[in-house]
């Protein structure tokens, strides 16, 4: 059996929740390997909706082991709040069903405060973050001053860890005109939650190695999308982690040879939340149609998403960067009823035609999409479970996407319902 890595091939919000839930039913272990509680999705199981931000999707299914890997920045208070919300819905998360990497870095209140200060600033630092402290926590991790999950198991080390952390943050806060933080405040913040976290702590790299050797099917659950990757995305309007498939190994401790099938979740059109370039954005009736019909609002923030036509240039680039073996194409039904549908097949930039998104921010803003126009369809695709249920023009649209991005469609989603999925190839049977 192959393991499966799920990544978003656009700017996130591609509909990973349904696909990951569909796959998690077939998996034995579900692993989060990057990001934090800034990445949310909704799962619908037996008619009940579960909104998850930090926890892996496997927690809502009995008999699955869920893991929060070392590549995740972990907010202990957000974790406690999310598990309590699930308990209210009848899902009890225990140390038998969930493990947290001992070497994951923590998100603290000072990280959230710094995130908000920067986003509220008029100095040009606004990125459009969720203000949940993700970026500042990753900065401390890279700066080798982070407090980590393992430190909660030995409270005696916390004063020294806090002193080292505040040696950076207090001068920074002074420079921003903010009050310094009393070390006792951070110590109280951590000691108040430590006992609830410690039972979940584990050497995740070893646990995953044991599961792999035992033949377990492992699902690596990515958050956000390739175009928000800190290296490969539309920098600086990106997240603070690597969102691509290669991070599944680094962020979990399981070697890259064990990653397996890479599934790229891909929306049948394009959306983006927050600031930054968006070549195919439609600030017109088409954009409003896609947003309203697709219910394009963020799971975590509730922010309205920007909408536009499918961009084959970007997805083709994501296929190459991630080594995507197959696509899970979602929300095809949102396009039902359009007279014509456009696909960006290239860009014009600096007087020439290019087939990639330039790395420079200015260039990303300047590119002009070259569109191919396809005939739309009046019949509905919603609820289709076989290729024969789809209108001929919808099939043509899907086939054209496959050709343009150089990757086959492995799964096709035609509604939010789990059963409304056309399976071409089971990634776990690769």
């Amino acid at each position: 059996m192959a393991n499966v890595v799920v990544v978003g091939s656009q700017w996130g919000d591609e509909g990973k929740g349904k696909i990951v839930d569909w796959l998690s039913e077939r998996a034995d272990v579900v692993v989060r390997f990057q990001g934090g509680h800034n990445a949310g999705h909704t799962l619908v199981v037996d008619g009940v909706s579960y909104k998850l931000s930090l926890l892996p999707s496997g927690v809502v299914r009995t008999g699955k082991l869920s893991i929060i890997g070392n590549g995740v920045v972990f907010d202990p208070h957000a974790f406690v709040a999310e598990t309590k919300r699930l308990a209210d819905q009848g899902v009890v998360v225990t140390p038998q069903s969930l493990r947290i990497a001992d070497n994951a870095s923590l998100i603290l209140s000072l990280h959230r405060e710094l995130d908000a200060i920067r986003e509220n600033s008029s100095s040009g630092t606004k990125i459009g973050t969720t203000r949940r402290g993700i970026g500042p926590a990753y900065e401390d991790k890279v700066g080798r001053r982070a407090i980590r999950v393992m430190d909660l198991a030995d409270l005696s080390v916390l004063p020294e860890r806090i002193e080292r952390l505040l040696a950076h943050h207090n001068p920074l806060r002074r420079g921003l005109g903010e009050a310094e933080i009393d070390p006792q405040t951070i110590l109280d913040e951590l000691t108040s939650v430590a006992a609830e976290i410690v039972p979940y702590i584990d050497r995740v790299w070893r646990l995953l190695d044991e599961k792999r050797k035992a033949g377990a099917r492992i699902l690596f659950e990515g958050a956000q999308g390739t175009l928000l990757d800190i290296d490969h995305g539309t920098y600086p309007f990106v997240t603070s982690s690597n969102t691509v498939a290669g991070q599944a190994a680094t962020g979990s401790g399981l070697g890259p040879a064990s990653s397996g099938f890479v599934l790229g979740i891909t929306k049948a059109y394009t959306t983006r939340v927050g600031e930054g370039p968006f070549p195919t954005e439609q600030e017109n009736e088409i954009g409003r149609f896609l947003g309203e019909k697709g219910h394009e609002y963020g799971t975590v923030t509730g922010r309205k998403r920007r909408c536009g036509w499918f961009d084959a240039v970007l997805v083709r680039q994501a296929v190459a960067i991630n080594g995507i073996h197959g696509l899970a194409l979602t929300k095809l039904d949102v396009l039902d009823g359009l007279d014509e549908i456009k696909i960006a097949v290239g860009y014009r930039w600096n007087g020439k035609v290019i087939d990639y998104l330039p790395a420079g921010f200015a260039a990303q803003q300047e590119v002009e999409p070259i569109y191919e126009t396809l005939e739309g369809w009046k019949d509905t695709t919603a609820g289709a479970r076989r290729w024969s249920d789809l209108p001929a023009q919808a099939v043509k649209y899907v086939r054209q996407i496959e050709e343009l991005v150089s990757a086959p469609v492995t799964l096709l989603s035609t509604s939010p319902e789990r059963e409304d999925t056309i399976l071409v190839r089971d990634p776990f049977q690769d």
Side-chain angles (χ1 to χ4, degrees):
M1 297 290 182
N3 296 327
V4 178
V5 179
V6 171
V7 293
S9 68
Q10 295 154 309
W11 276 290
D13 308 310
E14 299 96 349
K16 288 187 289 294
K18 169 186 169 177
I19 303 299
V20 167
D21 175 54
W22 190 90
L23 290 167
S24 67
E25 188 176 40
R26 293 155 174 78
D28 302 303
V29 183
V30 183
V31 185
R32 276 286 309 273
F33 59 86
Q34 50 79 217
H37 64 305
N38 58 332
H41 54 251
T42 302
L43 307 181
V44 181
V45 180
D46 297 329
V48 180
S49 294
Y50 303 97
K51 294 186 182 297
L52 303 180
S53 296
L54 178 61
L55 296 174
S57 298
V59 296
V60 301
R61 296 199 169 275
T62 58
K64 312 296 179 182
L65 175 62
S66 294
I67 289 177
I68 296 176
N70 57 276
V72 174
V73 281
F74 179 79
D75 186 323
H77 290 277
F79 171 80
V80 170
E82 192 166 326
T83 55
K84 287 181 178 177
R85 284 197 300 272
L86 284 177
D88 291 341
Q89 292 185 278
V91 176
V92 179
V93 179
T94 70
Q96 286 68 49
S97 62
L98 175 75
R99 308 303 288 170
I100 303 168
D102 56 1
N103 54 341
S105 297
L106 296 180
I107 298 176
L108 308 175
S109 58
L110 59 82
H111 296 125
R112 295 191 296 273
E113 290 172 12
L114 180 57
D115 205 354
I117 290 167
R118 287 172 172 169
E119 286 295 296
N120 292 333
S121 171
S122 59
S123 63
T125 57
K126 182 177 176 62
I127 298 295
T129 76
T130 57
R131 302 171 184 242
R132 299 199 169 196
I134 309 298
Y138 274 116
E139 290 175 33
D140 284 342
K141 176 180 178 177
V142 175
R144 300 180 293 277
R145 54 182 172 265
I147 297 173
R148 302 204 284 178
V149 169
M150 65 180 73
D151 297 328
L152 298 178
D154 183 2
L155 299 182
S156 67
V157 307
L158 285 179
E160 184 274 331
R161 300 283 193 272
I162 294 170
E163 181 181 356
R164 182 175 60 185
L165 183 65
L166 293 183
H168 169 80
H169 278 272
N170 275 338
L172 178 59
R173 291 174 68 90
R174 287 199 303 270
L176 292 169
E178 300 291 328
E180 291 191 11
I181 295 174
D182 185 338
Q184 188 64 42
T185 301
I186 303 300
L187 183 60
D188 292 344
E189 177 183 332
L190 292 171
T191 54
S192 69
V193 78
E196 296 184 76
I197 305 301
V198 169
Y200 295 90
I201 299 175
D202 207 340
R203 289 181 295 279
V204 159
W205 63 267
R206 175 173 288 176
L207 178 59
L208 283 173
D209 187 52
E210 291 170 351
K211 293 294 183 181
R212 177 190 64 82
K213 290 175 178 175
R217 289 168 293 187
I218 303 172
L219 175 63
F220 297 92
E221 180 183 352
Q224 293 124 346
T226 299
L227 295 168
L228 293 175
D229 184 271
I230 187 68
D231 289 308
H232 300 287
T234 47
Y235 190 91
F237 298 97
V238 293
T239 193
S240 300
S241 63
N242 287 111
T243 61
V244 295
Q247 179 65 17
T250 307
S252 68
L254 189 63
S258 301
S259 294
F261 190 97
V262 180
L263 182 67
I265 315 299
T266 307
K267 194 177 287 185
Y269 49 100
T270 311
T271 62
R272 172 163 204 170
V273 171
E275 310 295 324
F278 186 170
T280 64
E281 182 174 12
Q282 299 295 299
E283 297 181 276
N284 51 28
E285 189 60 37
I286 290 295
R288 287 188 289 275
F289 172 88
L290 295 173
E292 291 170 9
K293 191 170 181 183
H295 306 291
E296 295 296 351
Y297 297 90
T299 300
V300 170
T301 63
R303 287 183 294 181
K304 185 177 180 180
R305 296 174 185 142
R306 300 154 62 189
C307 299
W309 294 119
F310 186 86
D311 194 329
V313 180
L314 296 182
V315 176
R316 183 169 59 242
Q317 199 160 317
V319 167
I321 290 168
N322 289 285
I324 288 173
H325 296 98
L327 304 179
L329 192 66
T330 65
K331 290 200 165 185
L332 182 66
D333 54 300
V334 173
L335 301 178
D336 291 353
L338 290 172
D339 293 326
E340 62 179 29
I341 301 171
K342 295 184 179 182
I343 300 176
V345 296
Y347 298 138
R348 288 188 181 90
W349 178 57
N350 269 355
K352 57 185 178 181
V353 174
I354 60 174
D355 62 355
Y356 63 93
L357 183 68
F361 170 58
Q364 291 173 355
Q365 291 183 303
E366 294 166 359
V367 296
E368 298 179 7
I370 300 169
Y371 287 115
E372 175 181 289
T373 302
L374 282 74
E375 182 183 346
W377 55 87
K378 296 302 180 183
D379 295 332
T380 184
T381 64
R385 300 182 184 181
R386 299 181 304 272
W387 284 109
S388 58
D389 295 334
L390 297 174
Q393 286 304 125
V395 174
K396 183 177 179 180
Y397 180 72
V398 174
R399 296 305 185 205
Q400 187 67 355
I401 285 175
E402 291 179 315
E403 182 177 342
L404 288 169
V405 306
S406 300
V409 169
T410 298
L411 293 164
L412 181 63
S413 172
T414 58
S415 92
E417 297 298 323
R418 295 181 72 254
E419 293 77 13
D420 294 340
T421 304
I422 299 173
L423 174 64
V424 181
R425 176 185 178 189
D426 188 340
F428 279 120
Q429 299 291 340
D430 183 54

